[in-house]
């Protein structure tokens, strides 16, 4: 007779040394990333394209900004104004992830009704989805968020007195609001747009958030019940941009079988100030674009599929596919700052 089919029987069995081996049905642990931490799709506009590779027009800023109006000579005419253009291209490459499901190994999980990641199909689809977002952030960091990518680049130093230098965010003499005002004015003059996005590495954000000059500006905005605090939204208002994004997604830099080596994907000590349109637009500049090829023609930039493995393997696979090209499109509308702290 099984005495472990009641609470009292289970308690008595545990007291005698028995240990339950059933999986809990009300909790499980999985280190999925907070979706809000991913950055790749939040800075530059996403442009869906029907062809994996093609061209787009870029009209000459120099010609558009030049005064081409001239005094008409008597009995004659002025020279026609020149409005130059050039062809730029994109090329979307296909990336893939495969996640296997061992049908035999999953039977115990299914029969125990364990939640979350133990549900093979639900969990593996979520895992594949996160892998796509993770990969996008890694590509974003290599294409946009590192030294040497942008023509306009500054290095943080303790004095900020040299050419191509600025004072580190951690220096007490650094004036954050005046600094970003000046950078915004420079971008407006050279690129004809004021910056509207600021991406901050985790350490760069912490330095600005706790800077005495920032705290001084907001100290009277709070109450005893709701003390003043610095958030990305507060920094956006102070710096005159639409969005401040803290780029703090993480990844494991170690290989399979090695101890986890958790790192921030984007350099935590860097920052990117730029102008970007919220969506693809005609006759409007943007520092960067993310071109996404709709492979299946269903309007989705990322495609997922599930299929059976070879006969006798008792396996299934979840497949994720995406095809994109993250492309810098205008140097004049971006400023990269490294060694901010």
């Amino acid at each position: 007779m099984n005495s472990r089919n009641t609470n009292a029987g289970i308690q008595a069995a545990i007291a005698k040394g028995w240990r339950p081996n059933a999986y809990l049905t009300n909790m499980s642990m999985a280190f999925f990333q907070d979706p809000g931490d991913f950055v790749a799709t939040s800075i530059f506009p996403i442009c869906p394209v029907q062809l994996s590779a093609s061209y787009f027009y870029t009209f000459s800023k120099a010609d558009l900004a030049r005064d081409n109006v001239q005094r008409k000579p008597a009995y004659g005419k002025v020279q026609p104004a020149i409005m130059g253009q050039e062809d730029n291209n994109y090329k979307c490459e296909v990336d893939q992830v495969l996640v296997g499901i061992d049908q035999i190994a999953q039977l115990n999980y299914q029969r125990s009704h364990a939640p979350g990641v133990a549900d093979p199909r639900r969990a593996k689809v979520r895992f594949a989805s996160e892998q796509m977002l993770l990969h996008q952030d890694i590509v974003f960091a290599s294409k946009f968020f590192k030294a040497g990518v942008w023509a306009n680049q500054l290095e943080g130093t303790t004095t900020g007195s040299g050419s191509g230098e600025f004072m580190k965010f951690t220096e007490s003499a650094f004036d954050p609001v005046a600094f970003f005002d000046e950078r915004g004015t420079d971008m407006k003059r050279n690129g004809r747009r004021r910056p509207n996005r600021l991406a901050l590495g985790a350490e760069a954000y912490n330095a600005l958030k706790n800077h005495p000059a920032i705290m001084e500006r907001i100290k009277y905005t709070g109450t005893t019940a709701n003390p003043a605090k610095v958030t990305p939204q507060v920094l956006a208002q102070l710096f005159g941009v639409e969005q401040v994004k803290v780029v703090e997604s993480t990844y494991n830099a170690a290989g399979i079988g090695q101890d986890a080596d958790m790192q921030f994907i984007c350099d935590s000590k860097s920052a990117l100030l730029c102008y970007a349109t919220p969506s693809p637009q005609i006759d409007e500049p943007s520092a960067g674009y993310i071109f996404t090829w709709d492979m299946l023609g269903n309007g989705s930039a990322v495609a997922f599929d599930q299929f059976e493995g070879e006969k006798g393997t008792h396996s299934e696979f979840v497949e994720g596919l995406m095809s994109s090209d993250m492309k810098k499109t205008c140097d004049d509308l971006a400023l990269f700052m490294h060694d901010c702290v």
Side-chain angles (χ1 to χ4, degrees):
M1 178 179 178
N2 183 8
S3 62
R4 296 195 293 268
N5 55 8
T6 65
N7 288 340
I10 291 174
Q11 291 175 354
I14 291 175
K16 295 178 182 179
W18 174 78
R19 294 292 181 266
N21 60 6
Y23 291 92
L24 291 178
T25 59
N26 61 349
M27 69 83 64
S28 67
M29 291 184 61
F31 289 87
F32 287 113
Q33 191 143 235
D34 184 336
D37 288 344
F38 292 110
V39 63
T41 59
S42 62
I43 301 297
F44 295 118
I46 297 175
C47 183
V49 294
Q50 295 298 313
L51 301 176
S52 63
S54 189
Y55 299 88
F56 59 93
Y57 293 118
T58 298
F59 293 96
S60 169
K61 180 188 68 174
D63 290 342
L64 291 173
R66 184 182 300 109
D67 180 9
N68 292 288
V69 180
Q70 305 173 46
R71 182 63 53 83
K72 181 185 180 302
Y75 313 111
K77 62 181 179 180
V78 301
Q79 292 295 317
I82 296 175
M83 182 177 170
Q85 71 180 49
E86 61 181 20
D87 294 341
N88 284 307
N89 66 326
Y90 69 86
K91 184 178 182 181
C92 297
E93 303 283 0
V94 179
D95 295 320
Q96 180 188 45
V97 66
L98 287 177
V99 182
I101 302 173
D102 188 322
Q103 296 171 330
I104 296 176
Q106 296 293 342
L107 288 176
N108 285 333
Y109 295 108
Q110 292 173 306
R111 292 173 181 175
S112 65
H113 304 292
V117 294
D119 179 340
R121 292 170 180 82
R122 174 180 172 274
K124 297 303 174 67
V125 169
R126 183 179 180 185
F127 173 59
S129 299
E130 172 144 320
Q131 284 290 298
M132 289 298 192
L133 295 172
L134 184 71
H135 180 71
Q136 284 182 318
D137 270 20
I138 291 174
V139 175
F140 175 90
S142 68
K143 292 294 187 71
F144 298 130
F145 206 84
K146 71 174 185 179
V149 170
W150 301 96
N152 299 314
Q153 177 177 296
L154 295 176
E155 177 185 5
T157 64
T158 55
T159 62
S161 57
S163 176
E165 295 180 356
F166 71 98
M167 191 175 292
K168 288 179 179 287
F169 294 170
T170 47
E171 297 296 320
S172 59
F174 175 69
D175 187 340
V177 175
F179 173 78
F180 284 105
D181 279 348
E182 291 170 4
R183 303 291 80 74
T185 299
D186 290 343
M187 192 174 296
K188 176 68 174 179
R189 178 175 59 251
N190 294 321
R192 315 193 89 182
R193 298 291 186 278
R194 284 194 173 273
N196 61 354
R197 310 281 172 88
L198 175 60
L200 293 170
E203 293 182 69
Y205 170 67
N206 289 339
L208 288 175
K209 182 176 68 171
N210 296 300
H211 196 280
I214 298 294
M215 301 302 296
E216 180 68 22
R217 286 177 176 268
I218 69 155
K219 67 181 182 180
Y220 297 116
T221 62
T223 64
T224 302
N226 297 290
K229 61 180 180 179
V230 181
T231 64
Q233 292 74 27
V234 170
L235 291 180
Q237 292 177 340
L238 291 175
F239 299 155
V241 296
E242 296 175 4
Q243 178 191 25
V244 169
K245 175 69 176 179
V246 184
V247 291
E248 55 184 357
S249 58
T250 62
Y251 80 115
N252 176 20
I256 296 175
Q258 300 176 342
D259 292 339
D261 179 15
M262 299 304 296
Q263 303 285 341
F264 287 111
I265 294 175
C266 292
D267 183 5
S268 63
K269 298 181 179 181
S270 294
L272 175 65
L273 181 69
C274 64
Y275 174 81
T277 58
S279 59
Q281 295 187 24
I282 302 295
D283 296 340
E284 180 69 17
S286 180
Y289 261 100
I290 300 177
F291 298 94
T292 58
W293 180 36
D294 179 9
M295 292 174 287
L296 302 183
N298 60 0
S300 177
V302 180
F304 288 98
D305 189 19
Q306 186 170 326
F307 57 89
E308 293 280 344
E310 295 181 11
K311 290 185 177 180
T313 62
H314 301 283
S315 61
E316 302 173 29
F317 290 93
V318 175
E319 177 192 31
L321 286 171
M322 68 178 179
S323 181
S324 63
D325 183 9
M326 299 190 186
K327 191 173 183 69
K328 179 182 72 170
T329 51
C330 182
D331 273 312
D332 291 336
L333 294 179
L335 170 67
F336 186 75
M337 297 153 278
H338 62 93
D339 295 314
C340 297
V341 300

